[in-house]
Amino acid sequence: MASLNVGNLGEYLREQRRNAQLSLRQLADAAGVSNPYLSQIERGLRKPSAEVLQQVAKALRISAETLYVRAGILDERDRDELETRAVIIADPSINERQKAVLLQIYESFRKENGFESAPGTDDPSAPQRPDQEPDADSGPEPESDTAVDGPRAAGGSDAGQPSP
């Protein structure tokens, strides 16, 4: 069998498997693939699907995106963008509206610098866009330059003042 052009995926998988102190059979069992098939991937004789790579990555506890790049499924720049988006979306310290604003700013900078969106980044489950109704926990609306509900108390604050 001739070796396929899958970069250094097989060598990388073998190295990761050895670092995890797993035998070929143990990794194959954990990933839900056959031992001979995994051996062929490591030797560069088979090009695995994205699904198989995801299973192997999960079994090795490494990033599936790294395997996608090494297999030629995903471009390195696409991986970087996807990882950046994932970190923003996973951040528990900011709310959904803030995540959406950050993603919108990030995307505008990428476009300004001549980069396109990575495939699959127009996910409908992504945080809502800033032009949608804000969440209840998104904070107060910014104050306008003109006061419409009467004069402010000394010091420029109307905190603690009763509503008219």
Side-chain angles (χ1 to χ4, degrees):
M1 233 183 225
S3 179
L4 298 175
N5 183 17
V6 290
N8 55 357
L9 174 66
E11 293 170 19
Y12 180 76
L13 279 176
R14 183 178 294 115
E15 179 183 320
Q16 294 301 310
R17 177 176 59 78
R18 288 179 176 161
N19 287 343
Q21 298 180 341
L22 294 172
S23 69
L24 191 65
R25 186 174 310 278
Q26 288 170 320
L27 179 57
D29 288 343
V33 297
S34 74
N35 189 32
Y37 181 61
L38 186 58
S39 173
Q40 290 173 348
I41 293 170
E42 281 193 1
R43 291 181 288 141
L45 302 175
R46 295 275 186 173
K47 183 174 181 179
S49 68
E51 183 179 320
V52 168
L53 288 175
Q54 185 176 26
Q55 291 169 232
V56 170
K58 186 176 180 182
L60 287 170
R61 295 187 174 134
I62 61 174
S63 165
E65 286 81 7
T66 301
L67 295 183
Y68 296 160
V69 169
R70 291 189 180 263
I73 295 172
L74 187 65
D75 184 86
E76 183 77 28
R77 290 178 306 189
D78 294 343
R79 183 192 76 170
D80 291 344
E81 180 185 354
L82 291 171
E83 287 178 352
T84 301
R85 289 175 170 279
V87 168
I88 292 170
I89 290 169
D91 189 336
S93 66
I94 58 177
N95 65 41
E96 295 304 309
R97 182 170 184 269
Q98 292 166 332
K99 290 175 186 181
V101 170
L102 262 177
L103 289 171
Q104 186 178 36
I105 292 168
Y106 175 69
E107 187 59 35
S108 71
F109 283 149
R110 285 184 52 80
K111 285 180 182 174
E112 184 177 308
N113 292 333
F115 293 98
E116 296 293 322
S117 294
T121 57
D122 296 328
D123 185 81
S125 65
Q128 63 182 197
R129 297 280 182 229
D131 56 338
Q132 292 176 328
E133 289 295 317
D135 293 334
D137 62 343
S138 64
E141 290 294 318
E143 293 181 18
S144 66
D145 292 337
T146 59
V148 291
D149 48 306
R152 297 200 181 272
S157 172
D158 60 355
Q161 296 294 318
S163 298

